[in-house]
Amino acid sequence: MYGKFSLFPEQASSLAPHIDMLYFALVAVSLVFVVVICVLIAVFAFKYRRRPGNEIAQEVHEHHLMEVGWSLIPLFLGLILFAWGAKLFLQIYSQPENPIEIFGVGKQWMWKFQHPDGRREINDLHVPTGRPVKMTLISQDVIHSFYVPAFRVKQDVVPMRYSSTWFEATEEGIYHLFCAEFCGTEHSRMVGRVIVTSPEAYQAWLASPLIEGGSPRDAKMMNAGRGGEAASMAAASDPGAKGRAVMEAQGCVACHQVGNTTLAPALEGIYGTKVELENGKVVTVDDNYIRESILQSTAKIVKGYQPVMPAYQGLVKEEEVKAVIDYIKATSGSKK
Amino acid sequence: MSSDANPYLAHHFDDIVQQHESVSLGMWIFLLTEIMFFGGIFFAYTIYRFLYPDMFHAMSHHLDVTMGTINTGVLLTSSLTMALAVNAAQRGMKKRLVTMLGVTCAAGVIFLVIKYFEYAHKFHVGSVPGRLWTFETEFGNQAQLFYSLYFGATGLHGLHVLIGVVIIGVLTILAWKDKLPQGRAQRVEMVGLYWHFVDLVWIFVFPLFYLIGRT
Amino acid sequence: MSTQAVEPKNYLNAAHTVRSWLFTVDHKRIAILYLVSISFFFFLGGAAAFIFRLDLMTPQGDLLQSDTYNRLFTMHGVIMVFLFLVPSIPATLGNFLVPIMIGARDLAFPKINLMSWYLYMAGGACILWAIVDGGVDTGWTFYTPYSTAFAKSNVAITLVGIFIAGFSSIFTGFNFIVTIHKMRAPGMTWFRLPLFIWAHYATSLIMVLATPVLAVTVFLAALERLFGFGIFDASKGGDPVLFQHLFWFYSHPAVYIMILPSLGVVAELISAFSRKRLFGYRFVAFSSIAIAALGFLVWGHHMFVSTQSPYLGIVFSLISFLVAVPSAIKVFNYTATLYKGSVSLDSPMIYALGFIGLFVIGGLTGIFLATLATDVHLHDTYFVVAHFHYIMVGGALMGYLGGLHFWWPKITGRLYSEFWAKISAGLVFAGFNFTFFPQFIVGYLGNPRRYHFYPPEFQIYHVMSTVGSTILGFGYIIPVIYLLASLKWGKKAPANPWEAKGLEWEIPSPPPTENFTGPVVVTEEAYAYPVRKS
Amino acid sequence: MGLNEQAHGQDHGHSLKAYYLVYLLLMVGLAATVWVAYIDLGWLSTPIAMAIATTKAFFVVMIFMHVKDATPMIWVTIVMGLVGLSLGFIFLFCDYAAR
Ligand code: HEA
Ligand code: HEA
Ligand code: CUA
Ligand SMILES: [Cu+2]
């Protein structure tokens, strides 16, 4: 666990044993090649060392078959390893079943996480065992990278679109959370802890008062980083309420009126549906589309409307955007 | 090595054919690097146009088609005169060489002057990306992407024109002073290749920036 | 100096003024200019590494501030890649040997060759200036938007330096291509060329095709940094990941710019010290071209977790595996050359054999990274650092040192102390493994790279690494001493001290200014060593 | 010197007419590009514009730049450039299209 000397990192996710297996296979293949080549070099260098009677090399015939043969071996082995790696990779990029969705924002130099019920924490991430956790990640400034070695997952966190990854913790414990992409002065301080507990303990933690689970310093930063009044009004129980509050605070409702689509299209219920755009293309409404519609509102114009919506880039916080998305999702009633 | 006597033969070549072929292959490889150089910008262009087609169409309207068209005509004409200059050099026709080089150089200057007015207009209305940006469109900051690419592409191209103008200017003077005899025709030919390449880039820049979404 | 009088004219004693060096168009002298300058930058970059390695002795990094640490590794990476390893073999050994090996009097464009050195120095000066003026802290990869919008250091001037140095590399490349195509002596057919030439030909192709893309990329990044243009700026709808694409479009092929010449050198060394034609000549020759070509198709393997499309990631991974095949062909043929040879373990050969071992380890760990699922875990950890040091230091640099020792008598006309050469080769080999092997382990444990602070449980590996790098440092300083000493006290080198084959060994050491005194006609295959029937 | 020089210069002597023809074609092409831009061709307009531009480029390269009579090596060089370019376009486009 945390802080022990070891040669291999602990395996704490459902994925870790698979990755390690592949890793050991790679080690084995490499060892074979390294040993064979080094032994051959040593043997040849000794056996055919220059000495009286061996001043001149012996004649050797080249066989093309030999060349083909030793090209095919690495090709063949390589293809196996490639396929193995690609299969696991697709698994990493697949959508997990019924995950807990946690939202994370990376900024110089901290991690902020928000649990589905609105519970937030900084640099600590509580997750339960036995259930997939889907991380939706965004950066507020430069590129960061969400990295938990014990889970063998890493995902870059970029500023212009959501990226996501998932894991299913298997072992309770406390693990390192690193920022793996260089992001400036305190890059190596952009670290945290992943605290894996039993599902019951996780529920208990969710229900506990805010300060607990993080240091007082964290709590202060949390308040500082909070997205204005709108956010603080959010009730923990209703996932859409905070988003609705944001929309009122930001004045979105002036145009996006419930039940009135003359000024602007309805937002309620659109998640997961297909929207036709002014330029004839059809897009599916997902997290990235909604985020882009808010921040770069003119990138994609809905058919039948004018591009009058202001771009909110720099005006709303990532947490608030996420809240609006949650609101739209909640009103769409789908479990996406 | 009968050609040792050739005054234009550099010391390390065996004969003039070898020298000629080396120089022209060298020039082409240089142009190859230029292709990749401009390629980088066109890569970025493709991606952003794919991502933001509407914005590209709308922003293209703010470029001046008249000036762009005139400039294209100017460059195409200069390409012709350059080709004629190369021909004149190869045939040792001094007067014609000087005229053609002079016209080419002048065309380059005209191109730059027109470009200057286009740029000046952009500065005036504030459609220069970055700190000077004050351009109000419904696309907000996103429009800066288009102009960044526009200034990146036309700026680099303009720089190439400028370099070309200087080189051709020098050639004109050399030719005028009888320093470009037939035996040195390859110099003109190589500069010609460069100039045609600059023209080629513009042939693509023009429709891709000025002429999209005009309907 | 009574020897001076009897010494025959050669390129070194042809003239002695500073002017005669700074305005020389002789490819051999330009090679020397490059040799001196890249050595300077190597030690500068090495010194930076040594300082931050000392700092890494403790998890809390007690020696440096984080900002200083970041500046040091950036300076280390930028200098080592752009000012040392990319020009290393091509601009020194290549510059010196390419014309000689093909029987030409000079490169096709001697003045452009000189200009390339000046561009290199100008680029180097910009980068030095950036360092002296406070440094850069973006890493050698300059990822946006950190580099363009957030870094508070000298990014722009460094980018300008790289832009300029890039052109020096382009000019070297295109000079080589034209030279190899057009200036071969009569009888020097393509398949009589030494493999060193093939390797340089492949390298040059990469230089001319890939470097311009780097140039335009850093140009755009500099515009963004200086004037706030918005091509990679997310707040303007730009995509920072596009920068990574364009950067790696150059920088992956660039790693083959670094390794191919070294592979070429090693081919020469193995053949010379086995007194035997290189096994599978044609396969080795074409594998260079294959590596260069495939090298253009794999850049996305640096971006598996960057939000690049996973499907494209799979394509890039597959092609990365294909690159292993031509690399394997080389390694196997080199090894097979020893078989039934007459192997002599002189110091260049020790470097060459060390090269094979370390290159194989470096290459195979590259395979770990090209494997998608493992790269998700290993990306941006010390495992990557270990991978590329194995290839770049254990591989490319070893090959360079081997080549330098091999051709030193030809270049300077002096013999160095074989005893000290063997000692230092041993030190380099031992120190190197000591430094970088632990990094594989700490990398798999999850220590991210570019980390000033790290969790205490990783300390033991970092201490080993620092100790190793001290040994390694000595291994690099000793050659400087005995090589320089050889200039004054070394024995005169005969024309062919190793009894090797190749045009360069048929002319005096050091060679005369125009290399050959009469016309050259080649009648032999490459590596035409005598053989006895077994 | 004379001999080689002459051999080199000869085939260019007759090509003046070709130059003027190409120039005419370029100008027609320019007019066509602008004209086409103002008629509504839907998604086809960019491909058509590019086709015209490519045709123009083709003639500049072949006639003005004398590639028609160039050595194979120069052809190879040009093809290499085109291949290099396409690599960038293809891979980059695939990334953004498949995200
Ligand atoms: C000289 C420099 C050099 C060379 C030659 C290579 C060669 C290779 N590299 Fe490396 N690489 C770097 C320098 C180099 N690399 C650098 C500097 C970085 C980090 C950049 C940064 O982020 O700062 C890097 C990073 C890097 C990454 C990204 C890691 C990450 O950031 O996540 C990857 C991923 O695929 C990779 C793969 C490879 C592969 C597959 C090869 C192949 O070419 C290797 C082929 C050779 C062999 C395979 C060995 C011989 C073959 C055999 C003995 C046969 C047996 C083989 C099989 C069974 C397959 N490299
Ligand atoms: C050719 C390329 C090259 C070479 C030769 C080296 C050589 C070395 N490198 Fe480097 N390295 C890189 C290329 C190279 N490196 C790159 C590209 C990076 C990535 C940077 C980035 O992340 O952006 C990197 C990063 C890197 C890191 C990771 C830093 C981090 O991520 O936090 C480390 C850590 O140990 C390291 C160590 C070393 C060591 C110990 C050497 C040793 O081999 C050095 C030994 C040499 C000496 C010890 C010098 C001896 C001389 C003196 C001490 C005297 C000084 C005298 C004068 C100046 C006159 N390197
Ligand atoms: Cu955030 Cu590194
Ligand atoms: Cu790579």
Side-chain angles (χ1 to χ4, degrees), chain A residues 181-182, chain C residues 73-75 77-78 81-82 136-144 146-148 155 158-159 162 214 217-218 221 240 243-248 251 302 379-380 384 388 449-450:
Chain A
E181 185 64 64
F182 182 71
Chain C
F73 76 68
T74 305
M75 161 183 169
V78 168
V81 170
F82 296 111
V136 209
D137 71 340
T138 57
W140 81 281
T141 48
F142 297 97
Y143 275 14
T144 52
Y146 182 70
S147 62
T148 46
V155 179
T158 313
L159 291 177
I162 290 173
L214 173 77
T217 309
V218 297
F243 175 86
Q244 299 178 20
H245 271 302
L246 296 177
F247 181 83
W248 292 114
S251 291
H302 296 268
H379 172 69
D380 270 343
V384 178
F388 66 73
R449 60 192 282 211
R450 299 167 172 175

Short mmCIF file of all heavy atoms in Angstrom, two decimals, chain A residues 181-182, chain C residues 73-75 77-78 81-82 136-144 146-148 155 158-159 162 214 217-218 221 240 243-248 251 302 379-380 384 388 449-450:
data_model
loop_
_atom_site.label_atom_id
_atom_site.label_comp_id
_atom_site.label_asym_id
_atom_site.label_seq_id
_atom_site.Cartn_x
_atom_site.Cartn_y
_atom_site.Cartn_z
N GLU A 181 0.76 14.98 -16.44
CA GLU A 181 1.19 15.82 -17.57
C GLU A 181 1.76 17.11 -17.01
O GLU A 181 1.14 17.76 -16.18
CB GLU A 181 -0.01 16.12 -18.48
CG GLU A 181 0.35 16.89 -19.73
CD GLU A 181 1.28 16.12 -20.64
OE1 GLU A 181 0.87 15.07 -21.15
OE2 GLU A 181 2.43 16.57 -20.83
N PHE A 182 2.94 17.46 -17.49
CA PHE A 182 3.60 18.63 -16.93
C PHE A 182 2.71 19.87 -17.06
O PHE A 182 2.23 20.18 -18.14
CB PHE A 182 4.93 18.88 -17.64
CG PHE A 182 5.66 20.05 -17.04
CD1 PHE A 182 6.22 19.94 -15.78
CD2 PHE A 182 5.76 21.24 -17.71
CE1 PHE A 182 6.88 21.02 -15.21
CE2 PHE A 182 6.41 22.32 -17.15
CZ PHE A 182 6.97 22.21 -15.90
N PHE C 73 15.38 20.57 -16.24
CA PHE C 73 15.14 19.41 -17.11
C PHE C 73 14.72 19.86 -18.50
O PHE C 73 14.97 19.16 -19.48
CB PHE C 73 14.19 18.39 -16.48
CG PHE C 73 12.73 18.75 -16.48
CD1 PHE C 73 12.00 18.82 -17.65
CD2 PHE C 73 12.08 18.99 -15.28
CE1 PHE C 73 10.66 19.14 -17.63
CE2 PHE C 73 10.73 19.30 -15.26
CZ PHE C 73 10.02 19.39 -16.44
N THR C 74 14.09 21.04 -18.57
CA THR C 74 13.75 21.53 -19.90
C THR C 74 15.00 21.87 -20.69
O THR C 74 15.17 21.47 -21.84
CB THR C 74 12.86 22.79 -19.79
OG1 THR C 74 11.73 22.47 -19.00
CG2 THR C 74 12.42 23.26 -21.15
N MET C 75 15.90 22.58 -20.01
CA MET C 75 17.17 22.92 -20.65
C MET C 75 17.91 21.66 -21.06
O MET C 75 18.43 21.55 -22.17
CB MET C 75 17.98 23.73 -19.64
CG MET C 75 19.45 23.82 -19.87
SD MET C 75 20.16 24.76 -18.49
CE MET C 75 21.89 24.45 -18.78
N GLY C 77 16.62 18.67 -21.75
CA GLY C 77 15.98 18.03 -22.90
C GLY C 77 16.19 18.81 -24.18
O GLY C 77 16.54 18.25 -25.22
N VAL C 78 15.98 20.12 -24.13
CA VAL C 78 16.10 20.93 -25.34
C VAL C 78 17.52 20.86 -25.89
O VAL C 78 17.75 20.62 -27.08
CB VAL C 78 15.71 22.40 -25.05
CG1 VAL C 78 16.10 23.30 -26.20
CG2 VAL C 78 14.22 22.50 -24.78
N VAL C 81 18.43 17.22 -27.17
CA VAL C 81 17.79 16.80 -28.41
C VAL C 81 18.20 17.70 -29.57
O VAL C 81 18.75 17.23 -30.57
CB VAL C 81 16.25 16.79 -28.25
CG1 VAL C 81 15.59 16.59 -29.60
CG2 VAL C 81 15.83 15.70 -27.29
N PHE C 82 17.93 18.99 -29.44
CA PHE C 82 18.07 19.84 -30.62
C PHE C 82 19.50 20.29 -30.87
O PHE C 82 19.88 20.54 -32.00
CB PHE C 82 17.17 21.07 -30.48
CG PHE C 82 15.71 20.71 -30.46
CD1 PHE C 82 14.96 20.87 -29.31
CD2 PHE C 82 15.09 20.20 -31.59
CE1 PHE C 82 13.62 20.53 -29.28
CE2 PHE C 82 13.75 19.85 -31.56
CZ PHE C 82 13.02 20.02 -30.40
N VAL C 136 13.66 28.28 -19.42
CA VAL C 136 12.35 27.88 -19.94
C VAL C 136 11.87 26.74 -19.08
O VAL C 136 12.66 25.91 -18.66
CB VAL C 136 12.45 27.31 -21.37
CG1 VAL C 136 11.18 27.56 -22.12
CG2 VAL C 136 13.65 27.79 -22.08
N ASP C 137 10.57 26.62 -18.90
CA ASP C 137 10.11 25.55 -18.02
C ASP C 137 8.94 24.76 -18.60
O ASP C 137 8.01 24.41 -17.91
CB ASP C 137 9.72 26.11 -16.66
CG ASP C 137 8.45 26.92 -16.73
OD1 ASP C 137 8.09 27.35 -17.84
OD2 ASP C 137 7.81 27.11 -15.69
N THR C 138 9.00 24.47 -19.88
CA THR C 138 7.86 23.80 -20.49
C THR C 138 8.12 22.32 -20.77
O THR C 138 7.22 21.63 -21.20
CB THR C 138 7.55 24.43 -21.85
OG1 THR C 138 8.73 24.33 -22.64
CG2 THR C 138 7.19 25.88 -21.69
N GLY C 139 9.33 21.84 -20.54
CA GLY C 139 9.69 20.53 -21.05
C GLY C 139 10.06 20.69 -22.51
O GLY C 139 9.66 21.67 -23.15
N TRP C 140 10.80 19.73 -23.03
CA TRP C 140 11.26 19.92 -24.41
C TRP C 140 10.13 19.78 -25.40
O TRP C 140 10.30 20.03 -26.59
CB TRP C 140 12.40 18.94 -24.75
CG TRP C 140 11.97 17.55 -25.10
CD1 TRP C 140 11.59 16.58 -24.24
CD2 TRP C 140 11.88 16.97 -26.42
NE1 TRP C 140 11.27 15.43 -24.92
CE2 TRP C 140 11.44 15.63 -26.25
CE3 TRP C 140 12.14 17.43 -27.71
CZ2 TRP C 140 11.24 14.77 -27.33
CZ3 TRP C 140 11.94 16.57 -28.77
CH2 TRP C 140 11.50 15.26 -28.58
N THR C 141 8.94 19.37 -24.92
CA THR C 141 7.82 19.14 -25.83
C THR C 141 6.92 20.36 -26.01
O THR C 141 6.05 20.34 -26.87
CB THR C 141 6.98 17.97 -25.31
OG1 THR C 141 6.73 18.20 -23.92
CG2 THR C 141 7.71 16.67 -25.46
N PHE C 142 7.07 21.36 -25.18
CA PHE C 142 6.35 22.63 -25.36
C PHE C 142 4.85 22.49 -25.51
O PHE C 142 4.23 23.18 -26.33
CB PHE C 142 6.88 23.38 -26.60
CG PHE C 142 8.32 23.76 -26.47
CD1 PHE C 142 9.30 22.96 -27.02
CD2 PHE C 142 8.69 24.89 -25.77
CE1 PHE C 142 10.63 23.29 -26.88
CE2 PHE C 142 10.02 25.22 -25.62
CZ PHE C 142 10.99 24.42 -26.18
N TYR C 143 4.25 21.61 -24.76
CA TYR C 143 2.82 21.41 -24.93
C TYR C 143 2.03 22.69 -24.68
O TYR C 143 2.25 23.39 -23.70
CB TYR C 143 2.32 20.31 -23.99
CG TYR C 143 2.48 18.91 -24.53
CD1 TYR C 143 3.29 18.65 -25.63
CD2 TYR C 143 1.85 17.84 -23.93
CE1 TYR C 143 3.44 17.37 -26.12
CE2 TYR C 143 1.99 16.55 -24.42
CZ TYR C 143 2.80 16.32 -25.51
OH TYR C 143 2.93 15.05 -25.99
N THR C 144 1.12 22.96 -25.59
CA THR C 144 0.20 24.06 -25.40
C THR C 144 -0.95 23.56 -24.53
O THR C 144 -1.19 22.36 -24.51
CB THR C 144 -0.37 24.53 -26.75
OG1 THR C 144 -0.89 23.40 -27.41
CG2 THR C 144 0.70 25.18 -27.60
N TYR C 146 0.07 25.30 -22.03
CA TYR C 146 1.01 25.76 -21.00
C TYR C 146 2.07 26.66 -21.62
O TYR C 146 2.33 27.76 -21.13
CB TYR C 146 1.66 24.57 -20.29
CG TYR C 146 2.59 25.05 -19.19
CD1 TYR C 146 2.05 25.62 -18.05
CD2 TYR C 146 3.97 25.00 -19.33
CE1 TYR C 146 2.87 26.12 -17.06
CE2 TYR C 146 4.79 25.50 -18.34
CZ TYR C 146 4.23 26.05 -17.20
OH TYR C 146 5.05 26.57 -16.24
N SER C 147 2.68 26.19 -22.71
CA SER C 147 3.79 26.95 -23.28
C SER C 147 3.34 28.29 -23.85
O SER C 147 4.06 29.28 -23.77
CB SER C 147 4.47 26.13 -24.37
OG SER C 147 3.56 25.89 -25.40
N THR C 148 2.14 28.32 -24.44
CA THR C 148 1.75 29.55 -25.12
C THR C 148 1.09 30.56 -24.20
O THR C 148 1.24 31.76 -24.41
CB THR C 148 0.79 29.23 -26.27
OG1 THR C 148 -0.20 28.33 -25.79
CG2 THR C 148 1.53 28.63 -27.43
N VAL C 155 9.80 31.30 -23.33
CA VAL C 155 9.38 30.30 -24.31
C VAL C 155 9.67 30.78 -25.74
O VAL C 155 10.24 30.05 -26.55
CB VAL C 155 7.87 29.99 -24.17
CG1 VAL C 155 7.46 28.97 -25.20
CG2 VAL C 155 7.58 29.50 -22.78
N THR C 158 13.21 30.61 -27.06
CA THR C 158 13.63 29.23 -27.23
C THR C 158 13.04 28.64 -28.51
O THR C 158 13.72 27.95 -29.26
CB THR C 158 13.18 28.38 -26.04
OG1 THR C 158 13.52 29.08 -24.84
CG2 THR C 158 13.86 27.04 -26.04
N LEU C 159 11.75 28.95 -28.73
CA LEU C 159 11.12 28.45 -29.96
C LEU C 159 11.84 29.00 -31.18
O LEU C 159 12.08 28.28 -32.16
CB LEU C 159 9.64 28.84 -29.99
CG LEU C 159 8.76 28.13 -28.95
CD1 LEU C 159 7.33 28.66 -29.03
CD2 LEU C 159 8.76 26.63 -29.17
N ILE C 162 14.91 27.03 -31.73
CA ILE C 162 14.66 25.72 -32.31
C ILE C 162 14.32 25.85 -33.79
O ILE C 162 14.75 25.04 -34.62
CB ILE C 162 13.53 25.02 -31.54
CG1 ILE C 162 14.04 24.64 -30.15
CG2 ILE C 162 13.01 23.81 -32.27
CD1 ILE C 162 13.00 24.11 -29.24
N LEU C 214 8.05 20.80 -37.97
CA LEU C 214 8.41 21.34 -36.65
C LEU C 214 8.57 22.85 -36.74
O LEU C 214 8.09 23.60 -35.89
CB LEU C 214 9.72 20.73 -36.16
CG LEU C 214 10.23 21.36 -34.87
CD1 LEU C 214 9.44 20.85 -33.69
CD2 LEU C 214 11.70 21.13 -34.65
N THR C 217 5.35 24.57 -36.85
CA THR C 217 4.64 24.41 -35.58
C THR C 217 5.17 25.36 -34.52
O THR C 217 4.40 26.04 -33.84
CB THR C 217 4.78 22.96 -35.09
OG1 THR C 217 4.42 22.08 -36.14
CG2 THR C 217 3.90 22.71 -33.89
N VAL C 218 6.48 25.41 -34.39
CA VAL C 218 7.01 26.32 -33.37
C VAL C 218 6.78 27.76 -33.81
O VAL C 218 6.59 28.65 -32.98
CB VAL C 218 8.51 26.08 -33.06
CG1 VAL C 218 8.71 24.70 -32.49
CG2 VAL C 218 9.39 26.32 -34.25
N ALA C 221 3.32 28.46 -32.69
CA ALA C 221 3.30 28.56 -31.24
C ALA C 221 3.93 29.88 -30.79
O ALA C 221 3.45 30.52 -29.86
CB ALA C 221 4.04 27.38 -30.61
N PRO C 240 -5.58 22.47 -28.24
CA PRO C 240 -4.18 22.29 -27.83
C PRO C 240 -3.61 20.95 -28.29
O PRO C 240 -2.41 20.82 -28.49
CB PRO C 240 -4.24 22.34 -26.31
CG PRO C 240 -5.55 22.90 -25.95
CD PRO C 240 -6.47 22.68 -27.10
N PHE C 243 -1.53 20.81 -31.42
CA PHE C 243 -0.10 21.08 -31.31
C PHE C 243 0.67 19.78 -31.13
O PHE C 243 1.72 19.57 -31.74
CB PHE C 243 0.17 22.01 -30.12
CG PHE C 243 1.64 22.22 -29.87
CD1 PHE C 243 2.32 23.21 -30.55
CD2 PHE C 243 2.33 21.41 -28.99
CE1 PHE C 243 3.68 23.39 -30.34
CE2 PHE C 243 3.69 21.58 -28.78
CZ PHE C 243 4.36 22.57 -29.45
N GLN C 244 0.13 18.90 -30.29
CA GLN C 244 0.84 17.64 -30.06
C GLN C 244 0.97 16.85 -31.36
O GLN C 244 2.02 16.28 -31.64
CB GLN C 244 0.11 16.80 -29.01
CG GLN C 244 0.02 17.51 -27.68
CD GLN C 244 -0.74 16.70 -26.64
OE1 GLN C 244 -0.90 15.49 -26.77
NE2 GLN C 244 -1.22 17.37 -25.60
N HIS C 245 -0.10 16.84 -32.13
CA HIS C 245 -0.03 16.15 -33.41
C HIS C 245 1.12 16.70 -34.26
O HIS C 245 1.94 15.97 -34.78
CB HIS C 245 -1.33 16.33 -34.20
CG HIS C 245 -2.36 15.29 -33.91
ND1 HIS C 245 -2.13 13.95 -34.11
CD2 HIS C 245 -3.63 15.38 -33.45
CE1 HIS C 245 -3.21 13.27 -33.79
NE2 HIS C 245 -4.14 14.11 -33.38
N LEU C 246 1.12 18.02 -34.40
CA LEU C 246 2.12 18.62 -35.28
C LEU C 246 3.52 18.44 -34.69
O LEU C 246 4.48 18.19 -35.41
CB LEU C 246 1.81 20.11 -35.49
CG LEU C 246 0.51 20.40 -36.22
CD1 LEU C 246 0.25 21.88 -36.31
CD2 LEU C 246 0.52 19.79 -37.61
N PHE C 247 3.62 18.55 -33.39
CA PHE C 247 4.93 18.39 -32.76
C PHE C 247 5.47 16.98 -32.99
O PHE C 247 6.62 16.79 -33.40
CB PHE C 247 4.85 18.67 -31.27
CG PHE C 247 6.16 18.55 -30.55
CD1 PHE C 247 7.06 19.61 -30.55
CD2 PHE C 247 6.52 17.38 -29.90
CE1 PHE C 247 8.28 19.49 -29.92
CE2 PHE C 247 7.75 17.26 -29.27
CZ PHE C 247 8.63 18.32 -29.27
N TRP C 248 4.63 15.99 -32.76
CA TRP C 248 5.13 14.62 -32.90
C TRP C 248 5.25 14.20 -34.36
O TRP C 248 5.95 13.26 -34.67
CB TRP C 248 4.25 13.63 -32.12
CG TRP C 248 4.40 13.84 -30.64
CD1 TRP C 248 3.43 14.27 -29.79
CD2 TRP C 248 5.58 13.66 -29.84
NE1 TRP C 248 3.94 14.37 -28.51
CE2 TRP C 248 5.25 14.00 -28.52
CE3 TRP C 248 6.89 13.24 -30.11
CZ2 TRP C 248 6.18 13.95 -27.47
CZ3 TRP C 248 7.80 13.19 -29.08
CH2 TRP C 248 7.44 13.54 -27.77
N SER C 251 8.64 15.04 -34.24
CA SER C 251 9.52 14.53 -33.19
C SER C 251 9.58 13.03 -33.14
O SER C 251 10.56 12.48 -32.65
CB SER C 251 9.14 15.10 -31.84
OG SER C 251 9.44 16.48 -31.84
N HIS C 302 2.63 8.74 -29.06
CA HIS C 302 2.93 9.60 -27.90
C HIS C 302 1.65 10.17 -27.31
O HIS C 302 1.71 10.92 -26.34
CB HIS C 302 3.85 10.74 -28.32
CG HIS C 302 5.19 10.26 -28.77
ND1 HIS C 302 6.27 10.15 -27.93
CD2 HIS C 302 5.63 9.83 -29.98
CE1 HIS C 302 7.31 9.67 -28.60
NE2 HIS C 302 6.95 9.47 -29.85
N HIS C 379 2.67 5.83 -19.67
CA HIS C 379 2.84 7.14 -20.29
C HIS C 379 3.23 8.18 -19.24
O HIS C 379 2.67 8.23 -18.16
CB HIS C 379 1.54 7.56 -20.97
CG HIS C 379 1.56 8.96 -21.47
ND1 HIS C 379 2.34 9.36 -22.52
CD2 HIS C 379 0.91 10.06 -21.03
CE1 HIS C 379 2.16 10.66 -22.72
NE2 HIS C 379 1.30 11.12 -21.82
N ASP C 380 4.22 9.01 -19.61
CA ASP C 380 4.67 10.09 -18.73
C ASP C 380 5.10 9.62 -17.35
O ASP C 380 4.91 10.31 -16.35
CB ASP C 380 3.59 11.18 -18.60
CG ASP C 380 3.79 12.25 -19.67
OD1 ASP C 380 4.88 12.31 -20.26
OD2 ASP C 380 2.85 13.03 -19.91
N VAL C 384 9.16 5.79 -19.33
CA VAL C 384 9.43 6.44 -20.62
C VAL C 384 10.82 7.07 -20.60
O VAL C 384 11.59 6.96 -21.55
CB VAL C 384 8.35 7.49 -20.94
CG1 VAL C 384 8.66 8.20 -22.23
CG2 VAL C 384 6.98 6.87 -20.98
N PHE C 388 13.79 6.09 -23.27
CA PHE C 388 14.49 6.88 -24.28
C PHE C 388 15.94 7.13 -23.92
O PHE C 388 16.76 7.31 -24.80
CB PHE C 388 13.72 8.14 -24.67
CG PHE C 388 13.52 9.22 -23.64
CD1 PHE C 388 14.55 10.03 -23.25
CD2 PHE C 388 12.25 9.46 -23.13
CE1 PHE C 388 14.34 11.04 -22.34
CE2 PHE C 388 12.03 10.48 -22.22
CZ PHE C 388 13.10 11.28 -21.81
N ARG C 449 7.05 11.41 -14.61
CA ARG C 449 8.26 12.15 -14.96
C ARG C 449 8.05 13.63 -14.70
O ARG C 449 6.94 14.07 -14.43
CB ARG C 449 8.62 11.90 -16.42
CG ARG C 449 7.55 12.33 -17.38
CD ARG C 449 7.81 11.81 -18.77
NE ARG C 449 8.84 12.59 -19.44
CZ ARG C 449 8.90 12.78 -20.76
NH1 ARG C 449 7.96 12.26 -21.54
NH2 ARG C 449 9.85 13.47 -21.30
N ARG C 450 9.13 14.38 -14.80
CA ARG C 450 9.09 15.82 -14.56
C ARG C 450 8.56 16.13 -13.17
O ARG C 450 7.89 17.12 -12.95
CB ARG C 450 8.24 16.52 -15.62
CG ARG C 450 8.82 16.32 -17.01
CD ARG C 450 7.87 16.70 -18.11
NE ARG C 450 8.55 16.65 -19.41
CZ ARG C 450 7.93 16.86 -20.55
NH1 ARG C 450 6.66 17.15 -20.58
NH2 ARG C 450 8.59 16.81 -21.68
#
